[in-house]
Amino acid sequence: MLSAQFFVAASVLTTVVLGLPSTPLRARIVSEQDITRSYDYVVVGGGTAGLTVADRLTENPRKTVLVIESGQLDEREDAFLVPHSIGTAPPKYFYNLTSIPQSAGENRTFFVQAGCVVGGGSAVNGMFFDRGSAGDYNLWRDLGNPGWGWDDLLPYFKKSETFHPPDSATVEDFGVTYNMSVRGTSGPIHASYPPFLYPAVKNFQAAFKEFGTHVPYDGASGDALGAFWTPNSLDPTDMIRSYARIAHYDRIASRPNLHLLTGHSVTKVLFHGVTATGVEFTPFGGSRRMTVDAKSEVILAAGAPHTPQILQLSGVGPENLLNKLHIPIVANLPGVGQNFQDHPASFTDGIFVNDLNPSPSNNTNATWIEEQRILYETEKKGVFTVSASNSAAFIPLHQLTNRTNELVSAYASQDPALQFPAGTDATIIAGWRAQRDAVLSAIRSGVVASTEYAGGSAAGMLVVLEKPLSRGSINVNTTNPLASPVIDYGFLKNNVDVDIMVEGIKAWRKLLSMPSFQELGAQPTFPPNSITTDEDLRELVVQTSFPSISHPSGTASMLPRNLGGVVGPNLIVYGVSKLSVVDASIIPIIPGTHLSSTVYAIAEKAADLIKARNA
Ligand SMILES: Cc1cc2nc3c(=O)[nH]c(=O)nc-3n(C[C@H](O)[C@H](O)[C@H](O)COP(=O)(O)OP(=O)(O)OC[C@H]3O[C@@H](n4cnc5c(N)ncnc54)[C@H](O)[C@@H]3O)c2cc1C
Ligand SMILES: *[C@@H]1O[C@H](CO)[C@@H](O)[C@H](O)[C@H]1NC(C)=O
Ligand SMILES: *[C@@H]1O[C@H](CO)[C@@H](O)[C@H](O)[C@H]1NC(C)=O
Ligand SMILES: *[C@@H]1O[C@H](CO)[C@@H](O)[C@H](O)[C@H]1NC(C)=O
Ligand SMILES: *[C@@H]1O[C@H](CO)[C@@H](O)[C@H](O)[C@H]1NC(C)=O
Ligand SMILES: *[C@@H]1O[C@H](CO)[C@@H](O)[C@H](O)[C@H]1NC(C)=O
Ligand SMILES: *[C@@H]1O[C@H](CO)[C@@H](O)[C@H](O)[C@H]1NC(C)=O
Ligand SMILES: *[C@@H]1O[C@H](CO)[C@@H](O)[C@H](O)[C@H]1NC(C)=O
């Protein structure tokens, strides 16, 4: 995703209320009194993955599912539904999570964005809807996870979506290409193009070609290397956000075997010995504790920041941490909360002296915006259908810089033990070494991207680091389940990550000098051209880049246990039974893509695994 700050910076906030028709709540929302003593499955977190899994499991009318979600249903505010209003959801729909000071980033702290609402991240994200490259997912498979490579996941990417091709005018005007054989045609999430694209996006695409970048025919085909077009999670019928709440809850809310309890937080998983038997929960922010039983499985889907918190509070986590907090140990699993990854990014800015018409700068024109608002209300067209951009470029290291060998060797020569504080469990260190070696081999063979350029209609873009080898952690420091966990991004801890970011910024400057951008009079303003040496650019990256574009992952990694893993390829937590994880926490190495479509695919596959073992 792109962060909300980015969108607020990139587009003008609009506070208009569009008066969208409110649909009656068909939802099977339950109150505490309606909850039955036990369900076949209890799903913790009604976000992107949780609602997807709950939907699939309740296809069987004989299986009962309870979803417990901290947040509430949104009230169909523009912030959720209108693409132009992304990034404007009020604070009550977010957790108040802040990282600890990031020592390699000048001790800055960072707000951690995570949706606290039915639909989770899918309700508040930037609606950019792409997939990673085959190489990204094959890394997962090759690290000891049979069944999780690109070929294995493609059917689930397809199952999750209905792709709507762009209209012929867009295809002709912009040269958008797509391949229906890799797209889904009947899944719950709608993927489509807005009927409005800024004309400068054509120059973005052309400039990358001039830069020498490969242009995939369809970035969703496993070939996500280069500059390509990508749809949004957008329902083209009424031009509103397509997200887990509508697609995996409203759509099926008449099923009597699905219960959703909102406004309640799970405080821990309950065990009999090492068998998960249910969960304890509390009214959001409250102190009363209640319990409910799960006959077949407790399914964790609280998102990468909270899933490890719940595991640790339940006694599943690093032994020394649990002992320090006097939490009785159910299973010593050093990997819980470790291997934390996100996509760090540097902000760049610039101007087009001869900008095209219209451009994002017209969003400051109140008259124009009012016209566009009416156009959206009446015809579902215009700039209000636009969320994140529809083009991005994902660049393998050798296309970015001639320093690939040098940078790869620098990573390769690092001592794995020195990447972590003294006393770190040996399996975590072994896991980092295995990941490092696999990532470097993928970089050498050019099957993964090292940086992304997100944007497309302006000279300023985010330069995003796609395969950082810095690792952070999310650990509890209190037994109070309502307190925030301690979030350490481990931001830029690995100095080669900084070097690649510097190469990414240099490549951005070169990109602006390509004929198709020069046609627009492209000029960089930040970083200014006066900063030239690698050393000065490194300093700038350390001072101004940030650790996240809201893609937290890895905190309950799917890896072998001797490599610091928390779940195996069946997604069951090691050392216990009847407990699984199905959200972004299981991602062992962050893929070169925005995460939502990947999380839907993971959840679709998870549902099949869970169904099969409980048939
Ligand atoms: C601001 C933002 C912008 C983004 N932009 C994009 C984008 O443009 N494109 C893209 O592809 N991806 C984007 N992403 C990333 C993507 O949306 C997430 O990776 C994905 O939604 C994560 O899904 P999840 O199921 O792992 O977690 P979530 O969807 O976050 O679900 C976790 C749920 O669990 C609930 N929960 C947490 N703790 C508890 C508890 N103790 N008890 C009960 N419930 C609990 C939460 O309230 C939440 O609803 C963005 C994310 C954010 C936050
Ligand atoms: C975060 O803080 C805001 C107020 O600043 C509050 O409205 C909101 O409920 C808080 N979020 C959570 C999840 O506690
Ligand atoms: C960051 O904080 C640490 C510990 O307080 C301190 O030693 C260090 O000098 C600080 N670094 C910067 C750049 O301020
Ligand atoms: C479309 O995808 C199919 C399946 O991967 C592939 O065989 C075909 O070559 C692709 N077509 C184009 C034009 O890329
Ligand atoms: C957008 O702004 C530019 C610069 O002010 C102006 O020339 C152009 O006419 C505007 N376009 C629209 C559609 O208002
Ligand atoms: C603002 O928008 C209106 C309506 O499209 C247009 O007529 C006007 O020229 C625009 N003003 C500027 C400064 O671009
Ligand atoms: C690599 O070096 C060659 C020869 O000096 C040069 O033409 C090319 O542009 C360089 N490539 C990059 C990505 O810097
Ligand atoms: C836990 O860590 C946070 C910082 O993330 C700190 O503010 C808080 O005081 C710590 N709590 C305890 C009990 O140590």
Side-chain angles (χ1 to χ4, degrees):
M1 128 44 188
L2 301 176
S3 70
Q5 294 102 306
F6 175 68
F7 284 109
V8 171
S11 72
V12 158
L13 268 170
T14 127
T15 52
V16 288
V17 173
L18 286 174
L20 286 159
S22 63
T23 52
L25 282 185
R26 294 167 295 123
R28 188 75 175 90
I29 295 279
V30 292
S31 61
E32 282 173 19
Q33 299 85 290
D34 303 321
I35 289 181
T36 59
R37 181 67 236 141
S38 80
Y39 293 79
D40 291 305
Y41 303 102
V42 173
V43 177
V44 179
T48 315
L51 292 180
T52 304
V53 167
D55 173 357
R56 296 310 186 184
L57 293 177
T58 52
E59 284 171 349
N60 179 345
R62 291 188 317 280
K63 299 285 184 182
T64 56
V65 174
L66 172 68
V67 178
I68 303 179
E69 164 59 43
S70 293
Q72 301 289 347
L73 286 166
D74 64 71
E75 292 170 36
R76 296 182 70 83
E77 295 95 325
D78 293 356
F80 294 99
L81 300 184
V82 180
H84 184 67
S85 302
I86 54 166
T88 66
K92 70 172 177 180
Y93 292 115
F94 290 91
Y95 290 94
N96 295 302
L97 298 172
T98 304
S99 78
I100 59 169
Q102 296 298 287
S103 55
E106 300 235 308
N107 288 337
R108 285 176 293 149
T109 61
F110 297 89
F111 187 70
V112 179
Q113 300 214 59
C116 182
V117 60
V118 176
S122 74
V124 296
N125 73 20
M127 297 170 65
F128 197 81
F129 202 63
D130 62 333
R131 302 175 187 167
S133 71
D136 283 312
Y137 306 103
N138 291 342
L139 279 173
W140 301 3
R141 179 196 61 200
D142 296 346
L143 279 167
N145 298 303
W148 289 89
W150 167 255
D151 290 341
D152 308 299
L153 284 171
L154 179 58
Y156 291 106
F157 278 111
K158 291 167 80 167
K159 182 178 186 180
S160 73
E161 71 167 15
T162 295
F163 176 79
H164 305 264
D167 59 36
S168 53
T170 306
V171 169
E172 246 166 67
D173 191 9
F174 287 85
V176 177
T177 51
Y178 58 92
N179 183 348
M180 283 311 291
S181 66
V182 301
R183 298 295 189 167
T185 52
S186 56
I189 298 292
H190 294 275
S192 71
Y193 289 85
F196 177 102
L197 296 172
Y198 290 109
V201 177
K202 279 187 254 185
N203 300 65
F204 174 90
Q205 293 271 341
F208 269 103
K209 268 185 227 173
E210 292 154 4
F211 182 88
T213 305
H214 164 68
V215 178
Y217 188 76
D218 187 331
S221 66
D223 177 5
L225 304 171
F228 55 84
W229 298 97
T230 201
N232 299 124
S233 40
L234 172 69
D235 187 336
T237 311
D238 36 14
M239 289 295 164
I240 60 171
R241 176 192 297 270
S242 181
Y243 64 121
R245 181 253 162 107
I246 292 180
H248 289 291
Y249 183 68
D250 290 354
R251 188 179 60 81
I252 52 134
S254 58
R255 284 184 199 161
N257 53 336
L258 172 62
H259 284 182
L260 170 63
L261 179 67
T262 61
H264 287 72
S265 302
V266 168
T267 47
K268 64 170 137 173
V269 178
L270 302 169
F271 290 94
H272 181 72
V274 294
T275 304
T277 57
V279 301
E280 180 192 81
F281 60 98
T282 179
F284 182 72
S287 55
R288 248 172 336 111
R289 297 283 194 273
M290 290 150 279
T291 65
V292 63
D293 296 340
K295 282 177 280 190
S296 293
E297 212 159 308
V298 173
I299 299 167
L300 293 180
H306 293 109
T307 284
Q309 177 185 29
I310 295 166
L311 281 169
Q312 291 173 355
L313 291 173
S314 311
V316 178
E319 191 175 45
N320 46 8
L321 174 74
L322 303 188
N323 282 339
K324 209 163 61 191
L325 294 169
H326 307 292
I327 298 171
I329 291 172
V330 176
N332 172 22
L333 259 194
V336 175
Q338 319 312 304
N339 205 31
F340 176 37
Q341 300 159 65
D342 203 317
H343 286 139
S346 277
F347 178 73
T348 67
D349 208 359
I351 51 166
F352 293 147
V353 177
N354 318 307
D355 206 349
L356 297 178
N357 182 20
S359 80
S361 66
N362 292 100
N363 285 316
T364 56
N365 178 342
T367 317
W368 191 65
I369 279 295
E370 176 61 11
E371 283 173 7
Q372 292 296 312
R373 185 182 69 85
I374 293 166
L375 185 64
Y376 180 77
E377 277 186 63
T378 55
E379 296 180 47
K380 299 293 167 200
K381 287 189 178 143
V383 81
F384 275 65
T385 64
V386 176
S387 50
S389 80
N390 297 94
S391 76
F394 296 81
I395 311 297
L397 195 57
H398 64 87
Q399 284 182 30
L400 195 71
T401 171
N402 283 333
R403 294 176 61 206
T404 297
N405 285 342
E406 174 198 336
L407 296 168
V408 165
S409 306
Y411 276 133
S413 67
Q414 291 172 340
D415 180 348
L418 295 183
Q419 306 306 307
F420 298 93
T424 297
D425 190 85
T427 62
I428 305 295
I429 294 167
W432 184 83
R433 179 197 290 269
Q435 291 178 53
R436 187 261 319 259
D437 293 350
V439 166
L440 294 187
S441 136
I443 288 177
R444 275 197 209 92
S445 52
V447 298
V448 295
S450 282
T451 57
E452 174 192 354
Y453 295 84
S457 48
M461 298 167 203
L462 289 182
V463 180
V464 185
L465 185 65
E466 296 297 289
K467 281 282 179 284
L469 283 172
S470 302
R471 292 291 181 265
S473 61
I474 298 185
N475 292 315
V476 296
N477 65 348
T478 159
T479 52
N480 174 6
L482 306 178
S484 297
V486 179
I487 302 184
D488 181 0
Y489 282 107
F491 175 51
L492 302 181
K493 225 171 58 179
N494 191 309
N495 59 1
V496 186
D497 286 357
V498 182
D499 291 328
I500 295 180
M501 203 82 112
V502 166
E503 292 306 315
I505 290 172
K506 284 153 70 178
W508 166 76
R509 284 176 169 169
K510 193 171 151 198
L511 183 72
L512 291 198
S513 76
M514 294 295 132
S516 290
F517 269 147
Q518 280 308 301
E519 221 172 82
L520 307 182
Q523 288 175 12
T525 55
F526 185 84
N529 280 335
S530 56
I531 301 183
T532 54
T533 65
D534 283 5
E535 196 187 329
D536 289 348
L537 283 171
R538 282 182 61 91
E539 195 179 320
L540 177 124
V541 164
V542 164
Q543 289 169 347
T544 66
S545 60
F546 49 96
S548 165
I549 59 167
S550 302
H551 294 170
S553 34
T555 50
S557 279
M558 176 173 67
L559 283 172
R561 201 168 175 177
N562 63 3
L563 296 181
V566 174
V567 300
N570 58 10
L571 304 185
I572 297 175
V573 176
Y574 292 126
V576 299
S577 62
K578 297 193 172 186
L579 178 64
S580 56
V581 182
V582 298
D583 60 24
S585 316
I586 68 135
I587 293 174
I589 297 184
I590 196 166
T593 181
H594 302 242
L595 292 187
S596 65
S597 78
T598 296
V599 171
Y600 285 120
I602 289 171
E604 291 282 9
K605 184 173 166 77
D608 271 4
L609 293 169
I610 294 167
K611 279 178 180 176
R613 64 177 165 246
N614 293 291

